[in-house]
Amino acid sequence: MADESVSKDHGRKRKSALAEMFAPVAGFGVSFSTMFRKVATEEYPEKPRPTQPRFHGRHQLNRHADGLEKCVGCELCAWACPADAILVEGADNDDTPLEQGGKGRFSPGERYGRVYQINYLRCIFCGLCIEACPTRALTMTNFYELADNDRGKLIFTKDQLLAPLHEGMLPPPFPMADGMEERDYYQGKVTGPTAAQRDHVAARDERVVVDESPLAHDEPGNIAASVPGEHDVVHTTAPTAAQTREGANP
């Protein structure tokens, strides 16, 4: 029995000695085990990684099928923003003829968003503004490359956030489609501009004078940029995904 006890003690001492000998390199076990694995490096910005379909990126102000803006200047998005990053100033649409000093119509209904700004230094991309919008005017794209070399240029203005005119759309201001009401627009009954709207825009453009244009309204631009409303650092105008998820859940 004594010999067996001595043998066990000798075995424990031997294991303890081995443990003490390899202790300094034991912490490198994870490093050694991963040294020969394939490295999964993302080659950004040469090969940007595609975002998820519901990614919360830069905002976009959408249009109706004829080109009128969906934003009605209600300011609900600004009230819902927990970071106080959104500034909206609404104004009344004016159906007075342009030759009589009218400013024109930019959206269906009574009002439109005359000023729209988002401060991306404050924005946390939570999507609460999207949920608060009653007209689905504001959605979020998959575009995320928002870095710049000037803090002032990260305050995006309406001209930067407004969706581009797709094929067939007309640039506002112009009257609503004949026989249509505001609710008809939001129910999708307007599928494109009418002949009367096209004629109105064509006649409007012929009357425009560069220095005394009745279409000019005092929307503040991006005062930090060399050209108001534009970036000195050029960003791509196309989101990283083709769909902006307009009409979908944020």
Side-chain angles (χ1 to χ4, degrees):
M1 295 293 294
D3 293 340
E4 184 177 353
S5 177
V6 171
S7 178
K8 289 182 178 180
D9 291 341
H10 181 71
R12 283 194 295 266
K13 291 180 181 180
R14 184 177 180 181
K15 290 181 181 180
S16 177
L18 290 174
E20 292 179 359
M21 183 174 63
F22 290 104
V25 296
F28 295 96
V30 176
S31 301
F32 291 146
S33 64
T34 58
M35 284 181 59
F36 303 102
R37 294 182 182 179
K38 184 178 180 181
V39 179
T41 302
E42 296 182 10
E43 299 180 16
Y44 180 86
E46 290 79 8
K47 297 180 180 180
R49 182 178 179 180
T51 59
Q52 296 297 321
R54 292 165 61 89
F55 180 82
H56 284 193
R58 183 182 63 83
H59 297 75
Q60 175 173 287
L61 290 172
N62 300 299
R63 300 176 183 268
H64 290 288
D66 58 357
L68 289 177
E69 302 168 8
K70 288 189 173 183
C71 179
V72 296
C74 66
E75 304 184 27
L76 288 178
C77 53
W79 284 101
C81 180
D84 196 21
I86 302 177
L87 169 66
V88 183
E89 293 182 8
D92 293 335
N93 286 305
D94 189 357
D95 289 325
T96 305
L98 299 180
E99 56 270 15
Q100 298 180 16
K103 293 185 177 181
R105 171 175 293 278
F106 292 86
S107 70
E110 299 181 0
R111 293 172 62 80
Y112 73 100
R114 185 184 68 86
V115 176
Y116 203 103
Q117 296 181 357
I118 296 181
N119 187 345
Y120 282 106
L121 293 170
R122 292 185 173 187
C123 179
I124 59 175
F125 300 91
C126 62
L128 292 179
C129 54
I130 310 300
E131 297 181 9
C133 182
T135 63
R136 295 304 301 170
L138 188 65
T139 53
M140 302 182 82
T141 69
N142 294 77
F143 181 75
Y144 57 85
E145 295 175 313
L146 297 172
D148 215 317
N149 55 10
D150 191 326
R151 293 169 61 90
K153 297 171 191 173
L154 290 174
I155 301 177
F156 276 50
T157 52
K158 180 180 175 180
D159 55 333
Q160 295 167 296
L161 299 170
L162 197 59
L165 292 169
H166 297 297
E167 184 178 359
M169 290 184 176
L170 301 176
F174 56 84
M176 297 169 57
D178 294 337
M180 293 293 181
E181 299 179 355
E182 181 180 7
R183 62 182 179 183
D184 296 325
Y185 273 82
Y186 300 117
Q187 291 176 357
K189 296 181 180 179
V190 176
T191 59
T194 63
Q197 289 175 319
R198 294 182 185 277
D199 294 341
H200 176 89
V201 171
R204 178 202 70 189
D205 293 343
E206 291 179 359
R207 292 194 302 267
V208 170
V209 179
V210 175
D211 295 333
E212 300 178 1
S213 172
L215 307 181
H217 46 285
D218 52 347
E219 290 188 13
N222 192 327
I223 59 177
S226 58
V227 178
E230 296 183 0
H231 283 293
D232 290 337
V233 177
V234 179
H235 300 292
T236 177
T237 56
T240 52
Q243 301 294 329
T244 58
R245 307 185 307 284
E246 180 180 352
N249 293 326

